[in-house]
Amino acid sequence: MADSENEITAELVHDLLRDQHPDLAGLAIREVAGGWDNRMWRLGDELAVRMPRTERAPALQRKERRWLPVLAPRLPLPVPTPVRIGEPSARFPRPWSVMTWVRGEPLDCASISRDDHAADTLAGFLRALHVEAPAEAPAGSDRGAHPKKCTDGFEAFLRAAVPGGVAADARAIRDVWDDAVAAPEWEGPPVWLHGDLHPANVVVSEGTLSGVIDFGDMFAGDPAWDLAAAWLLLPAGAGSRFFEAYAQADEATIRRARGLAALKSLFLMLMGQKGERGLPGGKPAWGPAGRAALARVLAFG
C-alpha cells in the first residue's frame, strides 16, 4: 500500500522539475485522479509526471522505461513512453518518470458504445503485443500461472464476494473456474503481456478503445492472462467478435482466459467494496464493473 511518509504535491513536482529538467518546469501541472503505485500529474498537454507512492513502484517504473520503447513502435494504440528520468534526491528519495500522456477517459469513468470497433481494436492491439518475448523479458510475479495454481485465491475471492450479491451464481462461477483449471497448459513460447488489463488501465474516446496505459505489471507468459480482457473490458456480446478478430487463441486458451476473467471480476468486485470484506485501494466504480464483467463471463458460450 501507499507510503505516506512523503507527501507529493504540485509544488514538489514543480521543484523537482526545476532542479532536474528545467526546460519542462514552465509547463502547467495538474493532478490526475487515481493511481495505485504512482501518483500522476499532467504536465502541459502532452506529458505526465509519475511519482512513486509504494515500495514496489520504482521497480515497475524501471521496467516500463526499459521495455516500453521496445514495444511501443509496433503497437497500434498509443501507450505511455518514457521521456525523462527523475533521479532520487533529498527532496524525494525515489526515482520518478516523465512519460507521454495518452489521451482519453479511463474506461472505469466512461463507456464503450462502438462494440464491434472496440472488439476489433482490442484484438488488433493484443495480436501485435502477443509476440514471443526475449529470454531477458520480465517474468510474472503474482500473475502468469496456470489457473490451477491460483485456486486458493479464487476460493478466497468467491467466499468474500458471495455476500455482495452473487450467491445464486456461485455454482456457475465455480464451474467456469473448474473448466479453466482442467484446461491444458500453455505450450507455446512466453509472449509479451500487459499483465493488468482492467477498466482503469485502458482509455476510450468517441465510444471505443483509444489507448492502453500502466504497463508496470508487464511480463512474458500465457496470453490467457491478457485475453481475460475480452470480458473485463468489452460490452456484453462482444466477446465472440473479439476472439474471431484475435484469431490466435485455441479452445484451451479461451477456457483459461474465461476462468481468469472470473477471478479478476471477483477481485474488481472486492476492490469496489467498503468494509472488512473489501480490498483496499480500489474505487467504488470497480464493484459494478466487476459484477458486469462476471455476468459477461457467465453468459459467454
Side-chain angles (χ1 to χ4, degrees):
M1 291 306 298
D3 179 354
S4 60
E5 293 181 3
N6 300 294
E7 184 180 3
I8 305 171
T9 64
E11 180 181 7
L12 173 63
V13 174
H14 177 267
D15 289 347
L16 292 173
L17 288 168
R18 184 190 58 199
D19 292 344
Q20 299 190 30
H21 302 286
D23 59 314
L24 302 179
L27 296 173
I29 298 172
R30 51 200 186 277
E31 188 172 8
V32 179
W36 182 297
D37 289 293
N38 302 280
R39 288 186 67 180
M40 188 158 62
W41 300 80
R42 187 89 177 264
L43 182 62
D45 293 330
E46 305 296 334
L47 301 174
V49 180
R50 300 182 75 208
M51 304 292 293
R53 63 192 295 266
T54 64
E55 291 184 359
R56 73 177 198 142
L60 302 182
Q61 287 201 16
R62 285 194 294 271
K63 189 185 342 180
E64 289 183 313
R65 292 196 296 263
R66 168 66 180 88
W67 292 109
L68 279 175
V70 175
L71 297 175
R74 59 179 175 78
L75 297 176
L77 287 176
V79 301
T81 53
V83 174
R84 304 285 179 87
I85 298 173
E87 299 295 342
S89 66
R91 294 294 307 275
F92 190 75
R94 293 171 175 162
W96 45 278
S97 301
V98 179
M99 312 284 285
T100 56
W101 174 257
V102 179
R103 296 178 181 274
E105 291 293 322
L107 183 55
D108 62 344
C109 301
S111 62
I112 290 171
S113 57
R114 298 164 61 192
D115 299 12
D116 289 350
H117 189 280
D120 291 346
T121 300
L122 179 62
F125 178 84
L126 291 181
R127 276 201 317 272
L129 177 63
H130 291 172
V131 299
E132 184 174 353
E136 63 270 25
S141 53
D142 58 340
R143 298 172 173 84
H146 188 280
K148 65 187 177 184
K149 297 181 181 179
C150 305
T151 294
D152 288 347
F154 168 80
E155 292 293 343
F157 291 165
L158 183 60
R159 286 194 301 270
V162 163
V166 296
D169 295 323
R171 180 67 262 170
I173 298 167
R174 187 169 277 110
D175 287 345
V176 170
W177 181 254
D178 290 344
D179 185 59
V181 168
E185 297 198 22
W186 173 247
E187 295 182 351
V191 301
W192 277 114
L193 303 173
H194 177 281
D196 196 23
L197 287 173
H198 61 71
N201 284 344
V202 299
V203 298
V204 300
S205 299
E206 300 179 350
T208 190
L209 293 174
S210 58
V212 179
I213 59 177
D214 198 349
F215 281 73
D217 286 306
M218 75 175 86
F219 65 95
D222 178 357
W225 279 83
D226 274 359
L227 297 179
W231 295 276
L232 293 173
L233 303 180
L234 298 175
S240 296
R241 170 84 176 226
F242 165 82
F243 283 109
E244 289 175 7
Y246 181 77
Q248 297 176 182
D250 59 17
E251 179 186 1
T253 299
I254 295 174
R255 290 165 61 193
R256 294 192 306 277
R258 189 181 179 209
L260 292 167
L263 174 72
K264 294 182 180 190
S265 298
L266 293 170
F267 182 76
L268 281 175
M269 291 170 61
L270 292 172
M271 289 287 288
Q273 288 184 13
K274 294 182 179 180
E276 62 181 23
R277 289 187 177 274
L279 297 174
K283 304 176 185 178
W286 290 8
R291 287 190 288 274
L294 189 58
R296 295 191 289 268
V297 168
L298 297 178
F300 184 82

